[in-house]
Every structure is written in structure tokens, then in C-alpha cells.
Amino acid sequence: MKNTLLFLFLLIFSLKITAQVPYNTSPTWISTDPLNYSTGCAWADINRDGRLDFVVANGNDMAREKVVVYYNTGSGTFLPTLPSWQSGDIDYHGQLSIGDVNKDGYPDVAVSVYIGAAGFSQKGRVKLYLNNSGTLNSAPSWVSEDTLYTFSCAFGDADGDGDLDLAVATGESYNSKPDYDRIYFNNNGVLAVLPGWKSKYLGYSMDVTWADFNGDGRLDLVFAGERGPSRMYLNYGDSIGTVPYWMSADAGINNNSLFAGDVNNDGMIDLAVSENNQLGGTGKFKIYLNTGTTLSTTPFWSSAFSGYGSGISLADIDQDGDLDLTTGGWWQPCRIYLNQSGTFNVNPQWTSVTGSVVETIVFGDYDNDGLDSLTNQFTSSGTKKLFYLTKKPFHKIIKIYFGADSVSANQYCYDAENGWISFASAPPNGTIISIRYIASHDLDFAVSNWDASLGNYVFKNNIIVNIPPAEEQFPNDFFLSQNYPNPFNPSTAIRYSIPRRGEVKLTVFDVTGREAATLVNEKQSAGTYQVTFDGSAFTSGVYFYRLTAGDFSDTKKLLLIK
């Protein structure tokens, strides 16, 4: 077991030093459905069989086409090259967002319709396909009553009530038709047909996402501005501001896509943006750092690349604990810029051999070869309802506890790609919140392509795989590993093995012997487990963690430095 852990550490360390990226430069999977102008895409377990399916919205501004799903077969190429499901309607579909709107346990699909059936002379709309026990309804279950030019939408909990509201980016720049960005609120599992929030800023937005930028436990809203700056609207708890709280101030005026994430591990959410210089601007990939209460108005990093930038994403592809940047462009390859302790080279460490019109890049473990069962713990402040998990994207939520009480699924909503969970109500101050979930250390990524002749791509992660050695599958003895990293801030991983089924308890204590957190307290089968301890709510200092299982007990020291 010790040799195995040492080997894994050396493998990950060597990947960092040599800037090795765990993907072949050619895609592992390519769809073959013809004449589709694919735009929005996402990974989601539509039929809840434990495997990620691939959902794609087709059409863009080129043709009225269908929304499709490639169901994961669990073997072979995992995804069929032709869709397993297609919508019964057609539209000029833009980007999509996936989440459980009505809390029936199945993910639903919202899609932006960029332009109307008549083309650019007619406004589009936004619509929702509800999931009917594992199959999306063939016709939209909900359609916005107002019409609008919209290329992108995103689910988030705008009002902190534990259900998913839908934010929509609006405006059509080719023909100079600006609009007001908006939010459709969720009322008891049903989206309102008219927006409950509109920005006062009249402009053009190409993308939208939610993130807690000022660290107050509420989701703020940010839009990628086209023909103008990107803009953030602050969530005040009882309302979302209609005037931008932050706007980018650099030369970029044609922002295409964005992705939020903490790139320098300071506990604050930063923003990655792609520019597209088709209509002007620099056409670079950029990252705006968080200053503590807002974002810097100019980027701390810009790529050497300049051109038709498009899809962008942040994910820890080399599993060294920081978020790497993956980018796409029109008639461009995919590029990966490795995060090196919070900094990035201006040129990528990896470039695909493909040259397609990339629209969206999404990460997930589609072949299930790197899944880990993890636990994050937080101490309730009595008011905070939004929490970020340490590993994202995550695959599945297993169970959530407030203290010893389990939390039902209708009491929270979440975004698996961005890694947050929002509760309808906060537990009493001091309550330990335990979130058990599945995430992967072997992330594959998919690309949706506008090129109707090329198909969509999946690039499989070929290096970091979860193939447990015999002693991990069937351990001969109890074992508690030293946490890694150590010292740590804010989280660290603890790994242990048990040779037979039994009651297991893993607890963290401070130097006075007071129990600070219970990470595991349940009956488990024989095997090797990894648990994450989140020290965000704890002060710097020495702590101890103890594993007890049957007659076995072992204690080790860990060090939190903030």
C-alpha cells in the first residue's frame, strides 16, 4: 500500500514537471450524425444508470435542428456515434444548461434558441425539456412567454431557496439588436414563463454563469459581453443588482465564452474568458483574478494566441490540485495551458491535431475509470447556504447530513460542473455539514463542433487511471495513510484501507482532544477509501485524525496553514 501511494505521488509529480497532458492529440470518439451544427453540450446521467451521457444542442444560426442525447453504453466506445434520443422539435439551438428543476431526481435540459424560425429577423426564446424517469420529453415542457435573442443560459440559485432558477444571456450583435439579460425564477419546481429579473444594461451577451465572487455565500451572476465589457451582477440575498457591480476594462470587446474557478488556490473565484475577434478586439484567452471582494478589471494573464476564440473551461486535468485551462476556437485546435502554481505560460503545453469550429468544452469521467468516493465537511455559520466541493466537476451526490440528520434531495440544488450545492435553509450555527459524493481523478473532455462535416469529439484521459492494485481491491490489513498534501490549505485527502466489512469511524481532533469533525461514521465494505477534509472553517494549527474500525485504531497528525 505504501509503495502504491508513493508510485501515484511520483506519477502525478512527474506529470507536473514534464508538463505532460494525459490526452492523445486525436479524439478517442467522434460522432457521425451528419449535417449537425452542434453548439451547446454537457455531460449528465440522464437515465441515472451511473454513467455520464452526452447531451448536445444543434442548429446555431445555420439550420433548425434537434437536441440529442448519446446514451452511455458502459462498454466499447461508451458512446454510440449516432444519437440515442432526439427531440421532436427543431430550432436554431445555442448553448444549454442541465439541472433538476422539479426535484424528481432526474436532470432536465434547458436550451437557448438563438433566433426564431424565420431567421435573424425573428427573436428566439428559451425552453426546457423535462426528464420523464430517464428519458427527456420529446417536446419542450416549458417555453418562455417572452421572445428574445439568446445564445446561452445557465442554472443557478438566484434567491437562495434551494431550487434552480434560469439565467439567460441575450442580444444579437450581427444585426445590432441589443437586449436585457434576465432570470426566470423557479416556483415550486416550475419556471415562471416571464423573467423576474432584468438587467438595466442594454447590450449583447454571449455566455453566462453563476459563482460566489465576493465570498458571501450567495451566487453572483456574470455575463460575457459582446461589443462591450463582461459584467457581473452582485447577489445581495434579497435581490440581485440590476446595475453591474463589476465590468472588465481592458481592450477586449468581443467576449465569447467564460468559466469561473479558483486558479490560484486562494479560496476566491476567478474568471476565465475567451475573446473572438471576428468583429474586433484582441481575440485572446484571459483570466481575471479575484481581489477579495470583486474581480480585477484587467486580466493578470493573456494568451499569446489571438483569433477566433470560443469554448473555454477550467479543470484539474493533471490532478496536482490546481485548475488548468482548456480552450477552443473557430477553425482551431483545442489547447491546454497547465496551471503552474497559479501561473500560466502564454503558449499551451498541449495542442490537439484537430482543427474544427469548437463551440463548447466540457469535462467528465465518461468511462468511469477514475471515480472516488469523497466526503467534504463544513461547519455551519447558521446563515450560509452555498458550499463549494473540493473536487469538481463531481459525478454524483451520495448523501448529505446536517449533523446526524440526513438531508432530503428536495432541500437543495446543485451544479455538478461548477461544484456548488445550495441549500433551502442553513442548519443551526456550529452544525457539521457532511457531503458524500463521487468525483473523478481521471477527467475526459468532450467538444461540440459547429462543423457539420466533422462531428463532435471526446478526448479520453489515458494516463491517470483508477486501476486498484490487488492490495487495494482486497486489502489484507487495516491501514491509515498520511494525509496529502500536508501541510494543507484549505483541504487535504486522507486514505485508508479495511480488510473486512464493519463499522468505521474517522474523526479529526484539535490539540486539546476536542472532536473537530467526523468524516466517516458508518458501516463499510472491505476496500480502500479516500476522504477529503475541508479546513475552510478551521483556524491554522496542528490537528489529529483517528481511524477506528473494529479493534483497529490509528492516529496521525496533520497541519493546517492559512
Side-chain angles (χ1 to χ4, degrees):
M1 178 66 182
K2 291 181 179 179
N3 290 335
T4 301
L5 291 171
L6 178 62
F7 169 77
L8 289 173
F9 171 76
L10 291 175
L11 173 60
I12 294 172
F13 182 75
S14 67
L15 287 173
K16 186 67 175 178
I17 293 299
T18 61
Q20 186 176 1
V21 175
Y23 306 107
N24 293 331
T25 54
S26 297
T28 307
W29 173 89
I30 303 175
S31 65
T32 58
D33 40 327
L35 302 179
N36 277 341
Y37 297 94
S38 297
T39 304
C41 71
W43 294 110
D45 186 2
I46 296 296
N47 57 0
R48 290 201 336 190
D49 63 355
R51 300 186 291 264
L52 293 177
D53 310 305
F54 188 44
V55 186
V56 180
N58 299 303
N60 207 292
D61 59 358
M62 299 297 294
R64 298 181 69 209
E65 295 180 335
K66 298 177 181 292
V67 178
V68 302
V69 179
Y70 303 84
Y71 280 113
N72 195 323
T73 64
S75 61
T77 60
F78 295 93
L79 297 178
T81 58
L82 293 173
S84 316
W85 174 91
Q86 301 183 67
S87 63
D89 65 329
I90 56 174
D91 265 314
Y92 291 102
H93 295 117
Q95 299 287 353
L96 56 80
S97 185
I98 297 182
D100 187 0
V101 173
N102 57 2
K103 296 193 175 181
D104 64 353
Y106 289 91
D108 310 304
V109 179
V111 186
S112 283
V113 178
Y114 182 34
I115 53 180
F120 280 98
S121 64
Q122 184 180 17
K123 290 184 177 182
R125 54 193 175 147
V126 63
K127 58 185 180 179
L128 176 73
Y129 297 89
L130 284 177
N131 191 327
N132 186 11
S133 301
T135 303
L136 298 176
N137 291 336
S138 61
S141 310
W142 172 91
V143 178
S144 62
E145 190 172 298
D146 55 336
T147 58
L148 57 154
Y149 294 105
T150 171
F151 196 72
S152 183
C153 59
F155 281 120
D157 190 358
D159 47 7
D161 62 354
D163 58 25
L164 293 173
D165 311 301
L166 186 64
V168 180
T170 67
E172 195 281 290
S173 63
Y174 288 123
N175 297 286
S176 300
K177 296 182 178 179
D179 208 338
Y180 300 98
D181 298 318
R182 55 201 70 188
I183 301 172
Y184 299 85
F185 286 94
N186 188 331
N187 299 306
N188 298 316
V190 179
L191 293 177
V193 294
L194 291 174
W197 176 93
K198 283 188 178 182
S199 65
K200 288 187 177 179
Y201 186 97
L202 182 66
Y204 311 91
S205 298
M206 285 295 289
D207 201 6
V208 55
T209 195
W210 299 84
D212 181 11
F213 287 106
N214 65 348
D216 64 355
R218 296 187 284 263
L219 288 170
D220 309 305
L221 192 57
V222 63
F223 294 89
E226 190 183 26
R227 289 201 189 179
S230 292
R231 307 172 304 282
M232 180 214 300
Y233 296 89
L234 200 63
N235 190 329
Y236 294 98
D238 58 349
S239 64
I240 293 180
T242 57
V243 175
Y245 177 77
W246 168 89
M247 292 194 294
S248 57
D250 54 303
I253 59 171
N254 284 277
N255 304 296
N256 181 279
S257 301
L258 47 75
F259 202 95
D262 181 5
V263 300
N264 55 2
N265 283 340
D266 63 355
M268 297 178 290
I269 306 297
D270 311 302
L271 184 68
V273 178
S274 68
E275 289 184 9
N276 186 303
N277 64 3
Q278 182 189 36
L279 300 176
T282 64
K284 291 182 176 291
F285 306 118
K286 300 182 176 183
I287 298 177
Y288 299 84
L289 286 183
N290 196 316
T291 64
T293 57
T294 187
L295 296 171
S296 59
T297 57
T298 56
F300 97 103
W301 175 87
S302 298
S303 64
F305 168 84
S306 176
Y308 292 171
S310 59
I312 195 167
S313 186
L314 290 167
D316 185 7
I317 65 168
D318 53 5
Q319 295 301 296
D320 63 351
D322 52 32
L323 297 175
D324 308 298
L325 183 69
T326 304
T327 67
W330 294 355
W331 297 283
Q332 291 288 328
C334 294
R335 295 175 170 87
I336 293 178
Y337 301 81
L338 289 177
N339 190 331
Q340 301 174 67
S341 301
T343 64
F344 298 82
N345 290 339
V346 296
N347 293 306
Q349 283 85 358
W350 179 91
T351 303
S352 70
V353 297
T354 57
S356 59
V357 179
V358 175
E359 291 290 343
T360 311
I361 298 170
V362 289
F363 281 86
D365 187 352
Y366 87 117
D367 51 2
N368 283 4
D369 64 350
L371 299 183
D372 297 311
S373 178
L374 306 171
T375 299
N376 285 177
Q377 289 203 324
F378 309 90
T379 301
S380 175
S381 65
T383 58
K384 185 177 178 180
K385 296 186 286 185
L386 178 75
F387 298 90
Y388 279 89
L389 300 183
T390 54
K391 291 280 285 186
K392 51 185 177 289
F394 61 82
H395 194 87
K396 178 184 178 181
I397 295 174
I398 302 173
K399 199 70 177 177
I400 299 178
Y401 293 92
F402 289 171
D405 299 326
S406 62
V407 181
S408 62
N410 63 6
Q411 293 301 305
Y412 61 86
C413 61
Y414 62 88
D415 182 331
E417 181 178 31
N418 291 290
W420 53 257
I421 295 177
S422 181
F423 295 101
S425 59
N429 184 34
T431 302
I432 300 298
I433 302 170
S434 299
I435 303 175
R436 293 183 56 204
Y437 64 105
I438 294 174
S440 178
H441 60 257
D442 185 298
L443 292 174
D444 315 299
F445 76 92
V447 174
S448 63
N449 283 317
W450 175 91
D451 312 64
S453 62
L454 294 181
N456 302 306
Y457 300 151
V458 171
F459 292 86
K460 174 178 163 47
N461 189 318
N462 289 316
I463 294 181
I464 306 174
V465 296
N466 184 20
I467 306 176
E471 67 266 25
E472 290 198 21
Q473 296 183 57
F474 307 103
N476 295 318
D477 204 352
F478 295 97
F479 180 80
L480 177 65
S481 73
Q482 183 64 50
N483 65 299
Y484 179 82
N486 193 40
F488 68 98
N489 180 29
S491 63
T492 187
I494 300 171
R495 201 173 179 92
Y496 62 92
S497 297
I498 56 174
R500 56 184 176 272
R501 181 172 174 81
E503 295 290 342
V504 176
K505 189 172 185 180
L506 180 63
T507 49
V508 178
F509 300 87
D510 63 21
V511 291
T512 69
R514 183 183 66 87
E515 185 174 312
T518 301
L519 305 182
V520 179
N521 189 13
E522 64 182 9
K523 184 171 287 187
Q524 293 182 330
S525 299
T528 297
Y529 297 83
Q530 180 172 299
V531 176
T532 298
F533 171 55
D534 189 328
S536 300
F538 297 87
T539 59
S540 297
V542 174
Y543 293 84
F544 300 88
Y545 60 99
R546 178 183 303 153
L547 176 71
T548 55
D551 296 331
F552 175 81
S553 180
D554 192 10
T555 302
K556 294 185 182 296
K557 181 170 66 175
L558 46 78
L559 178 61
L560 173 61
I561 299 179
K562 293 186 175 181

